[in-house]
Amino acid sequence: MSAHVIDGRACARALKASLTADVSRLTGQGLRLGLATIMVGDDYSSGAYERRLRKLAEQVEVPYRHHRLSSDATQDEVVAVIEALNATPGVSGILVLRPLPAHVDEAAIFRAIDPAKDVEAVHPENAGLLALGIPRFVPSTAASVFHLLDSYLDSVGEDRADFYHRSLIVVVGRSNNVGKPAVSLGYERQATVQSVDEWADRTTGIGRHTRWADVLVVAAGKAGLVKAEHVSENAIVLDVGINPQVGSDGAVRLVGDVDADSVGPRVRALTPVPGGVGPVTDVWLLRNTVAAAELLAGRIPSLSHPDTVLEAS
Ligand code: NAD
């Protein structure tokens, strides 16, 4: 790989250090905060994410609790857990891990979360605020993508505003939790933004769009989807995909949506998998949890931009 490798682990370490200091200061001032996660069933990737969050929460001393429900739990049972957490003062952030089983209505579950504790902005009120460009919370993965991108631009001395105003950002994948929020954050930076979904892949192919991208954000959940022929030479590529692959030795390793071997030598910069967007996302969720505690306590009015989350206090 000859592109600049955007080091998500180093970025996450820096964010973690400032978060640890913030948690210590704010809890010292009596602020009550904590993250609660809910998982229904036993999806491999969700389980791995939950374990990472648990460990990180311990390290930065954010109180953490996890509710594990069996895959046959009813919708009412899941809602009951959420309602109990809504009413728990020490819980400032609630995360429902996806995927949910097919018999559980995801939209109904998200609507049950108190919007003030909805740190992934999945409640319609928060998703709407994000789409309007006045977010209460910014979903952690899209926030992390743009934090890495902003930091990379700063590191090479590019003026952010000038870069975004003249750039085309293409987002591959249109999920409510990653692709659409990433599009909103591109709009917020006044870039030109295109959203490419599997329908484009099935008809014209994604390359027709992605080849023009100055910034390519890939969140499709398809290992190796983006190859050298899909990218331009000056592209900055942010690979969100995390796809478990079982090797011949039976060990599971994680690969991205970008075929780094072929894309790396061609583009300007690339986030690796693992070690790119993922580690930053984990810290961001806890940042949002701390910010939610400040919001709940009325200490900050709103989170107008992801980078201002904690500096406002
Ligand atoms: P999702 O399944 O909810 O959505 C995937 C989107 O990609 C959909 O819009 C789908 O139509 C589109 N898509 C599927 N195949 C496509 C193709 N061939 N061409 C173009 N678009 C295609 O998934 P998600 O929750 O958005 O996650 C996407 C990936 O990102 C997964 O690998 C997931 O594990 C990973 N992820 C990573 C992080 C992180 O922190 N790095 C966080 C969340 C999700």
Side-chain angles (χ1 to χ4, degrees):
M1 191 189 293
S2 57
H4 174 85
V5 178
I6 299 175
D7 186 349
R9 288 198 178 106
C11 180
R13 273 196 299 277
L15 286 170
K16 200 170 135 186
S18 77
L19 181 64
T20 306
D22 284 326
V23 171
S24 163
R25 175 175 53 83
L26 293 167
T27 53
Q29 293 168 3
L31 193 74
R32 297 191 70 181
L33 51 89
L35 175 65
T37 58
I38 301 165
M39 181 168 159
V40 189
D42 51 10
D43 178 70
Y44 175 86
S45 298
S46 293
Y49 183 33
E50 192 279 315
R51 286 190 294 279
R52 289 201 314 273
L53 284 177
R54 178 190 298 267
K55 189 172 161 200
L56 187 62
E58 265 172 33
Q59 289 169 348
V60 300
E61 296 189 16
V62 168
Y64 178 82
R65 64 178 77 192
H66 177 57
H67 296 263
R68 177 86 180 264
L69 285 79
S70 67
S71 56
D72 59 0
T74 65
Q75 186 164 309
D76 287 349
E77 285 170 332
V78 184
V79 169
V81 172
I82 292 171
E83 285 175 347
L85 293 169
N86 286 344
T88 304
V91 171
S92 57
I94 299 172
L95 172 70
V96 179
L97 292 156
R98 295 171 62 245
L100 291 165
H103 67 273
V104 175
D105 177 4
E106 190 176 275
I109 295 301
F110 291 166
R111 270 198 303 275
I113 302 172
D114 177 348
K117 297 187 176 188
D118 171 32
V119 282
E120 272 298 313
V122 294
H123 188 286
E125 181 179 315
N126 289 323
L129 288 171
L130 178 66
L132 291 172
I134 45 170
R136 178 184 278 133
F137 298 110
V138 179
S140 55
T141 309
S144 302
V145 162
F146 278 89
H147 180 72
L148 284 167
L149 187 51
D150 290 344
S151 304
Y152 170 72
L153 295 174
D154 293 348
S155 75
V156 294
E158 281 226 37
D159 181 79
R160 287 188 199 179
D162 175 63
F163 174 84
Y164 285 120
H165 294 170
R166 63 183 159 74
S167 288
L168 171 65
I169 300 176
V170 177
V171 180
V172 179
R174 200 177 290 155
S175 69
N176 288 337
N177 58 315
V178 186
K180 286 179 191 167
V183 166
S184 291
L185 295 191
Y187 289 156
E188 201 178 281
R189 284 162 175 77
Q190 314 299 347
T192 303
V193 187
Q194 276 183 8
S195 164
V196 177
D197 206 31
E198 59 188 300
W199 308 104
D201 193 27
R202 289 186 204 177
T203 52
T204 60
I206 59 168
R208 180 169 183 238
H209 309 280
T210 57
R211 270 194 291 275
W212 299 100
D214 301 295
V215 174
L216 183 60
V217 179
V218 192
K222 296 278 179 286
L225 172 69
V226 171
K227 300 192 166 46
E229 68 265 28
H230 298 126
V231 294
S232 78
E233 283 178 7
N234 210 29
I236 303 171
V237 181
L238 296 116
D239 186 358
V240 178
I242 301 177
N243 307 291
Q245 278 194 342
V246 183
S248 52
D249 57 354
V252 178
R253 69 184 189 109
L254 301 175
V255 299
D257 287 353
V258 175
D259 174 24
D261 289 342
S262 74
V263 169
R266 189 171 166 80
V267 297
R268 177 178 171 188
L270 173 66
T271 59
V273 177
V277 178
V280 183
T281 301
D282 296 351
V283 186
W284 213 279
L285 200 260
L286 285 158
R287 268 174 73 104
N288 279 357
T289 301
V290 175
E294 294 206 270
L295 280 170
L296 283 161
R299 294 168 58 119
I300 52 174
S302 70
L303 314 178
S304 58
H305 186 280
D307 283 348
T308 64
V309 168
L310 292 172
E311 285 95 55
S313 59

